[in-house]
Amino acid sequence: MFDGNWFKRHSVKLTGIVLAALLIFGATVLIGYGLERQAEYERYADERRKEYTANTYSPERQRCFRLTAGRQQDCVTKARNEATAYNREQQDLVAQRVTALWTKLMGGAAIIGMGLSAFGVFLVWTTFNATREANVIANEANRPWLELVITEKREFFIKPTHTRVALFASLTNRGKSPATCVRPRAVLVAVPESGSHHHDAINLLNRQMDEWEATQPDSWITIFPGVKQKGIRLGYNIVREKLDEAVGGPGNKARFWVALGVSYKFGNKWCRTSHGYMITFPRRPQTRDVSETVVLGPSEFVLAPMAQDYAT
């Protein structure tokens, strides 16, 4: 059935059919032209032989019969030999012209063949790419997709020794294949009061996941399609020294960002899902003095989603 993508799906086959038709047509035209020119050369040579016979050989032979009996035989033999030599010259000329004709045609055919060969290589390359794209699409359609959802906030605090965020999350495989080596992770990032971008947290999360994927063994858990893994505890600590350094010194105010992510394998390929959140404080200032002691329960802070990324 024809639709808008029919020609796109069958473009390689259609191109091959058109190419084969052009090749057959071109070969037929080339051979027909060559045979026609060869017959023309032969007709021309035959006409020249007839003209020679009518205008030269026959009159000379008649002249020989008017000679004395002793000289007639020599005259006729000479005229016959000259006619034979002329006919041979015409045959050689035809053979030379026919050879030159077919040499030119074969040279042209060779050049066309080289072009068609190059086009054939292009078709093979196009087919290979189309096959690879189809494989990628099929692979993406059958791969695992892990959905990471925050199910419970536990705490956020700033203490003299460190700052921490803790929460619970769930993982659900929305794809069609098992996800292996599943590794969830959370990071907390403090930025100066003027900073307002979640990418710092996402970048830190990605660096840690890169390190995990490069150095950690293939262990951890496997989540099968349709399975939901609940009660995953995630948290992250920033020690005091790192906190003061991040905000430019003790006593400065900071904004806080959280990034959650999970890396997992599909075959030998690593996949990744990550989310970025800003920690906000309802009915409170959105920046916190890092020298103060702050302990907040689940209802006293909000993880406002800022970004979501599916990395493959």
Side-chain angles (χ1 to χ4, degrees), residues 133-173:
E133 290 176 2
N135 290 337
V136 169
I137 293 172
N139 185 71
E140 290 298 311
N142 293 312
R143 58 161 288 177
W145 291 98
L146 289 189
E147 179 184 60
L148 178 61
V149 177
I150 298 173
T151 56
E152 181 183 353
K153 298 173 295 177
R154 295 304 301 267
E155 60 182 354
F156 171 79
F157 62 73
I158 304 174
K159 293 183 178 180
T161 56
H162 66 286
T163 297
R164 177 174 176 78
V165 67
L167 50 89
F168 281 95
S170 68
L171 283 171
T172 306
N173 188 347

Short mmCIF file of all heavy atoms in Angstrom, two decimals, residues 133-173:
data_model
loop_
_atom_site.label_atom_id
_atom_site.label_comp_id
_atom_site.label_asym_id
_atom_site.label_seq_id
_atom_site.Cartn_x
_atom_site.Cartn_y
_atom_site.Cartn_z
N GLU A 133 20.82 2.39 10.29
CA GLU A 133 19.79 3.23 10.91
C GLU A 133 18.60 2.39 11.36
O GLU A 133 18.03 2.62 12.43
CB GLU A 133 19.34 4.30 9.91
CG GLU A 133 20.40 5.37 9.64
CD GLU A 133 19.94 6.36 8.59
OE1 GLU A 133 18.80 6.22 8.11
OE2 GLU A 133 20.73 7.25 8.24
N ALA A 134 18.22 1.41 10.53
CA ALA A 134 17.10 0.53 10.92
C ALA A 134 17.46 -0.27 12.17
O ALA A 134 16.61 -0.47 13.05
CB ALA A 134 16.76 -0.42 9.76
N ASN A 135 18.73 -0.71 12.25
CA ASN A 135 19.16 -1.45 13.44
C ASN A 135 19.14 -0.55 14.67
O ASN A 135 18.77 -1.00 15.77
CB ASN A 135 20.56 -2.02 13.22
CG ASN A 135 20.58 -3.14 12.21
OD1 ASN A 135 19.56 -3.79 11.98
ND2 ASN A 135 21.73 -3.39 11.61
N VAL A 136 19.57 0.71 14.48
CA VAL A 136 19.56 1.65 15.61
C VAL A 136 18.13 1.88 16.08
O VAL A 136 17.84 1.89 17.29
CB VAL A 136 20.22 2.98 15.22
CG1 VAL A 136 19.98 4.05 16.28
CG2 VAL A 136 21.71 2.79 15.00
N ILE A 137 17.20 2.07 15.11
CA ILE A 137 15.80 2.29 15.47
C ILE A 137 15.23 1.06 16.19
O ILE A 137 14.54 1.19 17.21
CB ILE A 137 14.98 2.60 14.20
CG1 ILE A 137 15.41 3.96 13.62
CG2 ILE A 137 13.49 2.61 14.51
CD1 ILE A 137 14.79 4.27 12.28
N ALA A 138 15.55 -0.13 15.67
CA ALA A 138 15.07 -1.35 16.32
C ALA A 138 15.68 -1.49 17.71
O ALA A 138 15.00 -1.91 18.66
CB ALA A 138 15.42 -2.57 15.46
N ASN A 139 16.96 -1.14 17.82
CA ASN A 139 17.63 -1.22 19.11
C ASN A 139 16.99 -0.25 20.12
O ASN A 139 16.74 -0.61 21.27
CB ASN A 139 19.12 -0.90 18.94
CG ASN A 139 19.90 -1.08 20.22
OD1 ASN A 139 20.11 -2.19 20.68
ND2 ASN A 139 20.32 0.03 20.82
N GLU A 140 16.71 0.98 19.66
CA GLU A 140 16.09 1.96 20.55
C GLU A 140 14.68 1.52 20.95
O GLU A 140 14.24 1.77 22.06
CB GLU A 140 16.04 3.32 19.85
CG GLU A 140 17.40 3.99 19.68
CD GLU A 140 18.06 4.27 21.00
OE1 GLU A 140 17.41 4.85 21.88
OE2 GLU A 140 19.24 3.89 21.16
N ALA A 141 13.98 0.87 20.01
CA ALA A 141 12.62 0.44 20.32
C ALA A 141 12.59 -0.68 21.35
O ALA A 141 11.62 -0.83 22.09
CB ALA A 141 11.91 -0.01 19.04
N ASN A 142 13.67 -1.48 21.40
CA ASN A 142 13.69 -2.65 22.28
C ASN A 142 14.56 -2.47 23.52
O ASN A 142 14.70 -3.40 24.31
CB ASN A 142 14.18 -3.87 21.50
CG ASN A 142 13.22 -4.29 20.42
OD1 ASN A 142 12.03 -4.41 20.66
ND2 ASN A 142 13.72 -4.51 19.21
N ARG A 143 15.15 -1.31 23.70
CA ARG A 143 16.06 -1.09 24.81
C ARG A 143 15.29 -0.83 26.12
O ARG A 143 14.10 -0.53 26.10
CB ARG A 143 16.97 0.11 24.52
CG ARG A 143 16.23 1.39 24.26
CD ARG A 143 17.12 2.59 24.45
NE ARG A 143 17.40 2.81 25.86
CZ ARG A 143 18.21 3.76 26.32
NH1 ARG A 143 18.82 4.55 25.48
NH2 ARG A 143 18.41 3.91 27.61
N PRO A 144 15.96 -0.91 27.26
CA PRO A 144 15.32 -0.52 28.52
C PRO A 144 15.30 0.99 28.67
O PRO A 144 16.17 1.69 28.15
CB PRO A 144 16.23 -1.17 29.58
CG PRO A 144 17.57 -1.26 28.92
CD PRO A 144 17.31 -1.47 27.46
N TRP A 145 14.29 1.49 29.35
CA TRP A 145 14.20 2.91 29.71
C TRP A 145 13.83 2.98 31.19
O TRP A 145 12.74 2.57 31.58
CB TRP A 145 13.13 3.63 28.87
CG TRP A 145 13.48 3.76 27.43
CD1 TRP A 145 13.06 2.96 26.41
CD2 TRP A 145 14.31 4.76 26.84
NE1 TRP A 145 13.59 3.39 25.22
CE2 TRP A 145 14.37 4.50 25.45
CE3 TRP A 145 15.03 5.84 27.34
CZ2 TRP A 145 15.10 5.28 24.57
CZ3 TRP A 145 15.75 6.62 26.47
CH2 TRP A 145 15.79 6.35 25.11
N LEU A 146 14.74 3.49 31.98
CA LEU A 146 14.50 3.57 33.42
C LEU A 146 13.94 4.94 33.79
O LEU A 146 14.51 5.98 33.43
CB LEU A 146 15.79 3.31 34.20
CG LEU A 146 16.31 1.87 34.16
CD1 LEU A 146 17.45 1.72 35.16
CD2 LEU A 146 15.21 0.86 34.46
N GLU A 147 12.83 4.90 34.49
CA GLU A 147 12.19 6.12 34.99
C GLU A 147 12.55 6.27 36.47
O GLU A 147 12.28 5.39 37.28
CB GLU A 147 10.67 6.02 34.82
CG GLU A 147 9.92 7.23 35.34
CD GLU A 147 8.42 7.03 35.23
OE1 GLU A 147 7.91 6.06 35.86
OE2 GLU A 147 7.77 7.81 34.55
N LEU A 148 13.18 7.39 36.80
CA LEU A 148 13.59 7.67 38.17
C LEU A 148 12.66 8.73 38.77
O LEU A 148 12.56 9.84 38.24
CB LEU A 148 15.04 8.18 38.18
CG LEU A 148 15.64 8.57 39.52
CD1 LEU A 148 15.68 7.38 40.47
CD2 LEU A 148 17.05 9.13 39.33
N VAL A 149 11.97 8.37 39.85
CA VAL A 149 10.97 9.25 40.45
C VAL A 149 11.26 9.39 41.94
O VAL A 149 11.49 8.39 42.64
CB VAL A 149 9.54 8.70 40.24
CG1 VAL A 149 8.53 9.59 40.94
CG2 VAL A 149 9.23 8.60 38.76
N ILE A 150 11.24 10.63 42.43
CA ILE A 150 11.38 10.87 43.87
C ILE A 150 10.06 10.52 44.55
O ILE A 150 9.00 11.03 44.18
CB ILE A 150 11.73 12.34 44.15
CG1 ILE A 150 13.08 12.69 43.53
CG2 ILE A 150 11.76 12.62 45.65
CD1 ILE A 150 13.44 14.16 43.62
N THR A 151 10.12 9.63 45.52
CA THR A 151 8.90 9.20 46.22
C THR A 151 8.78 9.81 47.61
O THR A 151 7.67 9.91 48.14
CB THR A 151 8.88 7.66 46.34
OG1 THR A 151 10.08 7.23 47.00
CG2 THR A 151 8.80 7.03 44.95
N GLU A 152 9.91 10.22 48.18
CA GLU A 152 9.84 10.78 49.54
C GLU A 152 11.07 11.63 49.82
O GLU A 152 12.21 11.19 49.56
CB GLU A 152 9.75 9.65 50.57
CG GLU A 152 9.64 10.14 52.00
CD GLU A 152 9.63 9.00 53.00
OE1 GLU A 152 9.58 7.82 52.55
OE2 GLU A 152 9.69 9.28 54.21
N LYS A 153 10.84 12.83 50.32
CA LYS A 153 11.95 13.65 50.83
C LYS A 153 12.13 13.34 52.31
O LYS A 153 11.15 13.25 53.05
CB LYS A 153 11.63 15.14 50.64
CG LYS A 153 11.47 15.57 49.19
CD LYS A 153 10.99 17.00 49.10
CE LYS A 153 9.58 17.13 49.70
NZ LYS A 153 9.09 18.52 49.70
N ARG A 154 13.38 13.23 52.73
CA ARG A 154 13.62 12.91 54.14
C ARG A 154 14.15 14.11 54.92
O ARG A 154 13.59 14.50 55.94
CB ARG A 154 14.61 11.74 54.24
CG ARG A 154 14.08 10.44 53.68
CD ARG A 154 12.77 10.03 54.35
NE ARG A 154 12.89 9.86 55.77
CZ ARG A 154 13.16 8.72 56.38
NH1 ARG A 154 13.34 7.62 55.66
NH2 ARG A 154 13.24 8.65 57.69
N GLU A 155 15.22 14.72 54.43
CA GLU A 155 15.79 15.82 55.21
C GLU A 155 16.76 16.64 54.37
O GLU A 155 17.30 16.17 53.37
CB GLU A 155 16.55 15.27 56.43
CG GLU A 155 17.70 14.35 56.07
CD GLU A 155 18.41 13.78 57.29
OE1 GLU A 155 18.07 14.19 58.41
OE2 GLU A 155 19.30 12.93 57.10
N PHE A 156 16.92 17.88 54.79
CA PHE A 156 17.98 18.74 54.28
C PHE A 156 18.51 19.53 55.47
O PHE A 156 17.72 20.12 56.22
CB PHE A 156 17.46 19.71 53.21
CG PHE A 156 18.46 20.75 52.81
CD1 PHE A 156 19.49 20.44 51.94
CD2 PHE A 156 18.40 22.04 53.34
CE1 PHE A 156 20.43 21.40 51.58
CE2 PHE A 156 19.33 23.00 52.99
CZ PHE A 156 20.35 22.68 52.10
N PHE A 157 19.82 19.53 55.65
CA PHE A 157 20.35 20.29 56.78
C PHE A 157 21.72 20.87 56.46
O PHE A 157 22.44 20.36 55.58
CB PHE A 157 20.41 19.44 58.06
CG PHE A 157 21.31 18.24 57.99
CD1 PHE A 157 22.70 18.36 58.00
CD2 PHE A 157 20.76 16.97 57.98
CE1 PHE A 157 23.52 17.24 57.97
CE2 PHE A 157 21.58 15.85 57.94
CZ PHE A 157 22.96 15.98 57.94
N ILE A 158 22.04 21.95 57.15
CA ILE A 158 23.36 22.55 57.14
C ILE A 158 23.86 22.52 58.58
O ILE A 158 23.26 23.13 59.48
CB ILE A 158 23.34 24.01 56.63
CG1 ILE A 158 22.72 24.09 55.24
CG2 ILE A 158 24.75 24.59 56.61
CD1 ILE A 158 22.52 25.52 54.74
N LYS A 159 24.93 21.78 58.83
CA LYS A 159 25.50 21.66 60.16
C LYS A 159 26.96 22.09 60.13
O LYS A 159 27.55 22.23 59.05
CB LYS A 159 25.36 20.22 60.66
CG LYS A 159 23.92 19.79 60.91
CD LYS A 159 23.83 18.39 61.47
CE LYS A 159 22.38 18.01 61.77
NZ LYS A 159 22.27 16.63 62.34
N PRO A 160 27.55 22.30 61.26
CA PRO A 160 28.96 22.74 61.29
C PRO A 160 29.91 21.80 60.57
O PRO A 160 30.93 22.24 60.04
CB PRO A 160 29.28 22.82 62.79
CG PRO A 160 27.96 23.08 63.43
CD PRO A 160 26.96 22.32 62.62
N THR A 161 29.59 20.53 60.54
CA THR A 161 30.50 19.56 59.92
C THR A 161 30.21 19.31 58.44
O THR A 161 31.13 19.11 57.64
CB THR A 161 30.42 18.22 60.67
OG1 THR A 161 29.06 17.76 60.67
CG2 THR A 161 30.95 18.36 62.09
N HIS A 162 28.96 19.34 58.05
CA HIS A 162 28.63 19.03 56.66
C HIS A 162 27.19 19.43 56.35
O HIS A 162 26.39 19.73 57.27
CB HIS A 162 28.81 17.54 56.39
CG HIS A 162 27.87 16.65 57.14
ND1 HIS A 162 28.00 16.39 58.49
CD2 HIS A 162 26.77 15.95 56.74
CE1 HIS A 162 27.03 15.59 58.89
NE2 HIS A 162 26.27 15.30 57.84
N THR A 163 26.87 19.42 55.08
CA THR A 163 25.52 19.68 54.59
C THR A 163 25.03 18.42 53.88
O THR A 163 25.79 17.76 53.16
CB THR A 163 25.49 20.86 53.62
OG1 THR A 163 25.91 22.03 54.32
CG2 THR A 163 24.12 21.09 53.05
N ARG A 164 23.74 18.08 54.06
CA ARG A 164 23.24 16.82 53.51
C ARG A 164 21.81 16.97 53.01
O ARG A 164 21.01 17.72 53.57
CB ARG A 164 23.28 15.72 54.57
CG ARG A 164 22.69 14.38 54.08
CD ARG A 164 22.89 13.28 55.09
NE ARG A 164 22.26 12.04 54.65
CZ ARG A 164 22.76 11.20 53.75
NH1 ARG A 164 23.92 11.48 53.17
NH2 ARG A 164 22.13 10.09 53.41
N VAL A 165 21.52 16.22 51.94
CA VAL A 165 20.15 16.02 51.48
C VAL A 165 19.92 14.52 51.41
O VAL A 165 20.82 13.75 51.01
CB VAL A 165 19.89 16.69 50.12
CG1 VAL A 165 20.69 16.04 49.00
CG2 VAL A 165 18.40 16.68 49.77
N ALA A 166 18.74 14.07 51.81
CA ALA A 166 18.40 12.64 51.77
C ALA A 166 16.98 12.49 51.27
O ALA A 166 16.10 13.30 51.60
CB ALA A 166 18.56 12.02 53.16
N LEU A 167 16.76 11.44 50.50
CA LEU A 167 15.43 11.19 49.93
C LEU A 167 15.31 9.73 49.52
O LEU A 167 16.30 8.99 49.52
CB LEU A 167 15.19 12.11 48.73
CG LEU A 167 16.28 12.18 47.65
CD1 LEU A 167 16.06 11.12 46.59
CD2 LEU A 167 16.32 13.56 47.02
N PHE A 168 14.08 9.35 49.17
CA PHE A 168 13.82 8.03 48.62
C PHE A 168 13.30 8.18 47.19
O PHE A 168 12.63 9.17 46.87
CB PHE A 168 12.79 7.27 49.47
CG PHE A 168 13.37 6.68 50.72
CD1 PHE A 168 13.29 7.37 51.92
CD2 PHE A 168 13.98 5.44 50.69
CE1 PHE A 168 13.82 6.83 53.08
CE2 PHE A 168 14.51 4.89 51.84
CZ PHE A 168 14.44 5.59 53.05
N ALA A 169 13.62 7.20 46.38
CA ALA A 169 13.19 7.23 44.97
C ALA A 169 12.78 5.84 44.54
O ALA A 169 13.05 4.84 45.22
CB ALA A 169 14.30 7.76 44.09
N SER A 170 12.13 5.78 43.39
CA SER A 170 11.78 4.49 42.78
C SER A 170 12.31 4.46 41.36
O SER A 170 12.47 5.50 40.72
CB SER A 170 10.26 4.29 42.77
OG SER A 170 9.64 5.23 41.89
N LEU A 171 12.56 3.25 40.88
CA LEU A 171 13.02 3.03 39.50
C LEU A 171 12.06 2.08 38.83
O LEU A 171 11.75 1.01 39.37
CB LEU A 171 14.44 2.45 39.49
CG LEU A 171 15.59 3.40 39.76
CD1 LEU A 171 16.89 2.63 39.93
CD2 LEU A 171 15.72 4.42 38.63
N THR A 172 11.57 2.46 37.64
CA THR A 172 10.67 1.61 36.86
C THR A 172 11.24 1.45 35.46
O THR A 172 11.60 2.43 34.81
CB THR A 172 9.26 2.23 36.77
OG1 THR A 172 8.78 2.50 38.08
CG2 THR A 172 8.31 1.28 36.06
N ASN A 173 11.31 0.21 35.01
CA ASN A 173 11.78 -0.06 33.65
C ASN A 173 10.61 0.04 32.70
O ASN A 173 9.75 -0.84 32.64
CB ASN A 173 12.42 -1.45 33.58
CG ASN A 173 13.10 -1.70 32.23
OD1 ASN A 173 12.91 -0.95 31.28
ND2 ASN A 173 13.89 -2.75 32.16
#
